[in-house]
Amino acid sequence: MKKIVYIGLVALACLGCTKKEKASDEGAPFPVKIMIVATQAERATSRYVGTIEPAHTTPLSMQTTGRVVAVHVKNGQHVQKGQVLIEVDNTQERNALQGAEATLKHAQDGYDRVKQVHGKGVVSDQKMVEIESQLAQARSLYAAAKQRLEECTLTAPCDGVVDGLDVVKGQSILPGSRLCSVVDTRTFSVRFTVPETEIKGLRTAGNKLSGEVECAAADAVLPIVITEQGITANPLTHTYEVTAAVQGGADVLMSGMVAVVKLRDARAETKEQCIVIPARCILLKPEGHTVWMIEQGNAVRRDIMIDGYQADGVRVAAGLQPGDTLIMDGYQKLYKGCKVRVEARCSILDD
């Protein structure tokens, strides 16, 4: 009997400890990141993430088959227009050019001698035409041989930087095989994608759109002009690819830098105010879309109605008011009425 009573007391003590620990856990506020809901001009400025890349890249190849005898450059090396980059063995081409040069000299000498006596009637017109034809053929063969010799040397088509060099001395190459590229680093462009719901407005605006690109790595904000717009959407992301020329920045930009593209619609001076929140805040439940809010220090769920999407988030038609405190991160462990502690305050730009 005493043993039973002892076991019961131990069980009650454990239960009391469990309740005490649970009460302690319930009292500890959960850390969250928040944003204060505010209105903004709908679609007056659209933001996209893009990548900086050279405006002009020239792939280089040779039109001859041969063995590489010299590689004069390295990847990342600055070169000038006309600078020799790669050479292949040109022994056969030099011999062919010497033969063509000798043939041309012989034909030219024969033509000069015949021309001197042609006017005196010593040589017939038919023979003169034959001599002229031989000279023209020799000139053509010489020009072709000279071109084949020149094709054994690869030169830079413009000032720039060598990229993608993948050839070494002694390697055999085939005609048309890409050997390297020369990147023109004087001008840059930015490539980004636009959702299919926004590409129509971008096209309609045309030249009326003004914009800029912000590159944190280069600490620069530069104006841009749209130059290309894709006509086929990506079937997975439902986005269109857009390219814009960056005006300036040659001294600070580098290929591959991540940039934020901001496009402003100049067609409308004023836009209807709306509430936009990050997409990651929204939870989809059977009853609709909901978000976590803070009211009097406690976490609560609130139903919302969305009105569409834009570059920087989701437009909310109902359920939120300016000044509401929206939980952006840390809501995964929350339950209704639990205490929360604000760890950081963010804006929609942090999404």
Side-chain angles (χ1 to χ4, degrees):
M1 184 66 179
K2 290 183 180 180
K3 185 176 182 180
I4 294 176
V5 171
Y6 175 76
I7 293 174
L9 292 174
V10 171
L12 289 174
C14 292
L15 182 60
C17 292
T18 303
K19 289 182 177 180
K20 188 177 296 183
E21 291 176 359
K22 184 177 180 180
S24 175
D25 291 341
E26 290 178 350
F30 292 93
V32 294
K33 294 181 180 180
I34 66 161
M35 68 169 281
I36 303 300
V37 176
T39 58
Q40 61 173 285
E42 178 186 354
R43 301 170 68 94
T45 300
S46 297
R47 300 172 68 256
Y48 310 95
V49 176
T51 305
I52 298 293
E53 52 188 43
H56 304 289
T57 299
T58 306
L60 302 179
S61 61
M62 285 186 166
Q63 301 306 313
T64 184
T65 301
R67 178 177 58 85
V68 177
V69 295
V71 179
H72 299 285
V73 293
K74 301 181 295 183
N75 279 318
Q77 180 176 334
H78 287 265
V79 294
Q80 296 181 339
K81 182 178 180 180
Q83 181 175 336
V84 176
L85 309 179
I86 301 171
E87 294 181 82
V88 299
D89 185 11
N90 60 6
T91 303
Q92 293 183 355
E93 286 75 14
R94 281 191 289 106
N95 293 336
L97 180 61
Q98 291 175 359
E101 186 176 8
T103 301
L104 176 59
K105 186 177 183 301
H106 177 73
Q108 185 69 54
D109 291 343
Y111 173 81
D112 293 339
R113 289 194 304 269
V114 171
K115 186 177 181 180
Q116 291 177 358
V117 298
H118 174 255
K120 300 177 182 180
V122 178
V123 178
S124 65
D125 292 342
Q126 181 179 358
K127 184 64 175 178
M128 189 64 193
V129 171
E130 182 180 343
I131 295 297
E132 289 176 345
S133 177
Q134 291 175 356
L135 177 60
Q137 184 177 6
R139 286 174 175 171
S140 177
L141 291 174
Y142 175 80
K146 184 179 180 180
Q147 181 178 353
R148 286 195 293 271
L149 179 61
E150 292 174 350
E151 289 175 350
C152 293
T153 301
L154 185 66
T155 59
C158 61
D159 295 349
V161 176
V162 177
D163 182 47
L165 180 65
D166 188 22
V167 62
V168 295
K169 183 179 178 180
Q171 178 180 336
S172 296
I173 61 172
L174 298 175
S177 57
R178 181 169 178 170
L179 304 179
C180 65
S181 299
V182 172
V183 179
D184 185 352
T185 57
R186 296 170 298 179
T187 56
F188 287 89
S189 62
V190 57
R191 187 182 300 271
F192 57 99
T193 56
V194 177
E196 61 183 11
T197 55
E198 300 178 34
I199 192 67
K200 183 178 180 181
L202 194 65
R203 287 181 174 276
T204 303
N207 294 331
K208 295 182 180 180
L209 273 178
S210 60
E212 61 187 22
V213 60
E214 179 178 349
C215 194
D219 191 21
V221 178
L222 302 164
I224 59 173
V225 176
I226 293 178
T227 56
E228 297 180 22
Q229 296 182 26
I231 59 174
T232 304
N234 185 308
L236 298 178
T237 61
H238 298 280
T239 57
Y240 290 82
E241 197 169 79
V242 178
T243 302
V246 181
Q247 300 181 359
D251 55 335
V252 293
L253 296 180
M254 295 183 66
S255 179
M257 285 183 172
V258 177
V260 176
V261 177
K262 300 177 183 178
L263 297 178
R264 295 182 296 277
D265 190 346
R267 295 173 298 169
E269 296 182 359
T270 59
K271 290 285 185 176
E272 181 181 353
Q273 296 291 313
C274 65
I275 291 176
V276 180
I277 65 174
R280 71 172 188 262
C281 301
I282 302 174
L283 302 175
L284 181 60
K285 298 295 182 180
E287 61 272 17
H289 298 89
T290 65
V291 293
W292 281 99
M293 311 290 299
I294 298 179
E295 294 182 1
Q296 298 179 351
N298 298 325
V300 296
R301 291 285 286 273
R302 187 181 297 180
D303 297 333
I304 63 170
M305 182 180 295
I306 65 174
D307 185 41
Y309 302 86
Q310 61 186 61
D312 53 357
V314 181
R315 296 190 301 274
V316 178
L320 295 178
Q321 296 294 329
D324 286 344
T325 303
L326 173 68
I327 298 177
M328 293 182 66
D329 291 307
Y331 55 78
Q332 291 81 359
K333 296 180 180 181
L334 302 182
Y335 55 90
K336 184 177 179 181
C338 69
K339 296 289 184 181
V340 294
R341 173 174 53 85
V342 177
E343 189 176 53
R345 178 170 173 172
C346 310
S347 70
I348 193 170
L349 300 181
D350 300 317
D351 187 32

